[in-house]
């Protein structure tokens, strides 16, 4: 009986050791999360700063009833430069950074965690997930990041479409919206954002991870070159943004309703108004050609920076 009790105690201890994470593994997991957060923050900051003038121009067209064309877009850029100076092309970029740095950090870090969780569930390593879980990991990561940082996105859109006399800084935007329109306005446009981010983030991460997987399979090299990562990221951005673009237009129109003269309205009402005033294709896809220029550049920079930073930090840690 004594031997039986001892054997039971040993088995219980072994089971507990198998279930409970060791301090070494826990420390490694924390380092991995911090590494993902840092890499994601830098990736988002570099990508958005690179395309900020194009992004601001796109938002101005999205929230107005002006007809979009490449000629009109570059004319707007040129006259903004003449009238307000070169740095005005980056107006609202400080608000963008306040939003993008935590957004990108959370999104990339969450994506790594969702890949790990789904990998355990399906019995695969994170980078070798089957297609549907790969798509799900990206969609969940984008939804998590958007939910936690949405008010900053609204503030950034307001700053992009208003003259600098209206809002002096980010805090001023928060104060004025809270006083004049109410706190709930900070989440106006949240639903189209989430509905748009699911296909955008899902398809972007899915496309990028799939192209890297195919590259490993057919090239025989474990890692793509940086320019290949840029191409994979550009393809991911092109597909993701094209799929979710109409909801992006609706989101911007709802976010800036308080300062552009449009009434605060639901998703369905905003969609109907855009289609009635400007037409389905011309209204809901306004500025898409500019997105095809800036989107692939931004997403390519973002994914490439994240991957290279992860590789660099792993080397430094070892």
């Amino acid at each position: 009986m004594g031997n039986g009790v001892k054997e039971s105690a040993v088995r219980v201890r072994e089971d507990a050791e198998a279930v409970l994470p060791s301090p070494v593994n826990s420390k490694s997991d924390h380092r991995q999360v911090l590494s993902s957060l840092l890499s994601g923050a830098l990736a988002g900051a570099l990508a958005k700063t690179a395309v900020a003038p194009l992004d601001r121009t796109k938002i101005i067209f999205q929230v107005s009833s002006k007809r979009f064309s490449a000629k009109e877009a570059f004319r707007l850029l040129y006259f903004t430069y003449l009238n307000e100076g070169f740095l005005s092309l980056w107006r609202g970029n400080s608000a963008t950074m306040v939003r993008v740095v935590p957004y990108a950090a959370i999104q990339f870090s969450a994506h790594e965690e969702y890949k790990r969780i789904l990998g355990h569930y399906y019995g695969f390593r994170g980078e070798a997930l089957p297609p549907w879980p790969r798509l799900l990991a990206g969609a969940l990561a984008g939804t998590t990041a958007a939910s936690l940082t949405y008010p900053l996105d609204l503030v950034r859109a307001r700053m992009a479409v208003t003259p600098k006399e209206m809002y002096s800084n980010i805090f001023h935007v928060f104060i004025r919206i809270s006083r004049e329109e109410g706190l709930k306005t900070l989440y106006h446009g949240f639903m189209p954002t989430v509905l748009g981010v699911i296909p955008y983030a899902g398809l972007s991460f899915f496309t990028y991870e799939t192209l890297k997987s195919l590259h490993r399979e057919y090239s025989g090299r474990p890692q793509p070159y940086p320019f290949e990562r840029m191409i994979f990221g550009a393809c991911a951005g092109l597909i993701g943004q094209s799929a979710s673009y109409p909801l992006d237009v609706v989101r911007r129109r709802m976010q800036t309703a308080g300062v552009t003269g449009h009434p605060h309205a639901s998703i369905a009402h905003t969609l109907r108004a855009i289609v009635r005033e400007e037409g389905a294709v011309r209204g809901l896809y306004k500025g898409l050609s500019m997105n095809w220029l800036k989107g692939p550049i931004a997403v390519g920079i973002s994914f490439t920076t994240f991957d290279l930073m992860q590789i660099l930090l792993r080397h430094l840690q070892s």
Side-chain angles (χ1 to χ4, degrees):
M1 184 178 290
N3 289 338
V5 171
K6 286 180 182 178
E7 287 173 3
S8 297
V10 168
R11 279 198 300 272
V12 168
R13 189 173 67 249
E14 288 173 349
D15 290 342
E17 287 172 354
V19 172
L20 293 173
S22 70
V24 174
N25 287 339
S26 181
K27 190 175 180 181
S28 175
D29 287 344
H30 289 153
R31 277 205 303 264
Q32 191 174 350
V33 170
L34 287 173
S35 171
S36 297
L37 286 169
L38 177 61
S39 302
L42 182 62
L46 285 177
K48 278 297 184 181
T49 300
V51 298
L54 296 176
D55 209 25
R56 180 174 185 253
T57 303
K58 181 202 75 172
I59 292 172
I60 290 171
F61 276 98
Q62 281 182 329
V63 302
S64 72
S65 56
K66 294 178 187 175
R67 184 173 177 178
F68 176 84
S69 68
K71 182 179 178 182
E72 287 299 316
F74 285 106
R75 180 179 292 175
L76 176 61
L77 279 167
Y78 179 65
F79 280 109
T80 301
Y81 162 69
L82 284 183
N83 297 329
E84 301 180 45
F86 180 70
L87 291 179
S88 68
L89 296 174
W90 276 264
R91 174 164 167 74
N93 196 49
S94 58
T96 301
M97 289 300 101
V98 170
R99 168 194 164 264
V100 159
V101 168
Y103 179 91
I106 292 167
Q107 180 175 240
F108 277 108
S109 182
H111 182 247
E112 293 300 305
E113 288 303 302
Y114 286 129
K115 279 202 307 181
R116 184 178 61 79
I117 292 166
L118 292 169
H120 282 312
Y121 181 80
Y122 284 96
F124 288 87
R125 283 170 46 211
E127 51 272 13
L129 283 173
W132 281 111
R134 195 180 299 165
L135 186 69
L136 180 60
L140 287 171
T143 304
T144 301
S147 300
L148 293 174
T149 62
Y150 183 77
L152 295 169
D153 186 41
L154 183 139
V155 166
R156 173 260 184 152
R158 287 288 181 99
M159 289 190 75
V161 301
T162 54
K164 50 190 174 183
E165 296 80 20
M166 187 166 184
Y167 297 122
S168 56
N169 55 50
I170 298 167
F171 300 107
H172 189 207
V173 185
F174 275 112
I175 292 166
R176 281 197 62 174
I177 289 175
S178 301
R179 284 179 180 170
E180 297 172 12
E181 301 175 55
L183 283 172
K184 67 179 183 179
T185 303
L186 292 172
Y187 272 87
H188 195 63
F190 177 67
M191 280 309 297
T193 299
V194 171
L195 292 174
V197 108
I198 289 171
Y200 171 66
L203 287 170
S204 295
F205 278 107
F206 171 81
T207 303
Y208 186 68
E209 295 288 328
T210 300
L211 290 173
K212 284 202 301 180
S213 179
L214 290 171
H215 175 273
R216 277 194 301 273
E217 184 180 341
Y218 289 104
S219 73
R221 284 186 281 118
Q223 296 291 347
Y225 296 126
F227 78 90
E228 290 172 325
R229 294 181 192 275
M230 284 285 292
I231 293 170
F232 298 163
C235 292
L238 195 64
I239 293 169
Q241 291 191 341
S242 298
S244 62
Y245 195 78
L247 285 163
D248 190 44
V249 175
V250 172
R251 167 175 70 121
R252 293 303 184 200
R253 186 68 69 91
M254 291 177 74
Q255 285 178 335
T256 57
V259 293
T260 56
H262 296 104
H264 288 294
S266 65
I267 298 172
H269 186 275
T270 305
L271 266 171
R272 283 197 299 270
I274 292 170
V275 172
R276 185 176 62 250
E277 293 168 13
E278 304 172 55
V281 175
R282 190 174 293 167
L284 294 175
Y285 287 91
K286 181 193 291 184
L288 179 60
S289 56
M290 179 166 285
N291 240 38
W292 283 342
L293 173 63
K294 80 170 190 66
I297 295 171
V299 179
I301 292 171
S302 182
F303 278 127
T304 302
T305 303
F306 178 79
D307 278 356
L308 295 180
M309 275 295 293
Q310 287 286 85
I311 292 167
L312 174 62
L313 290 171
R314 277 198 296 269
H315 280 311
L316 291 174
Q317 286 171 8
S318 60

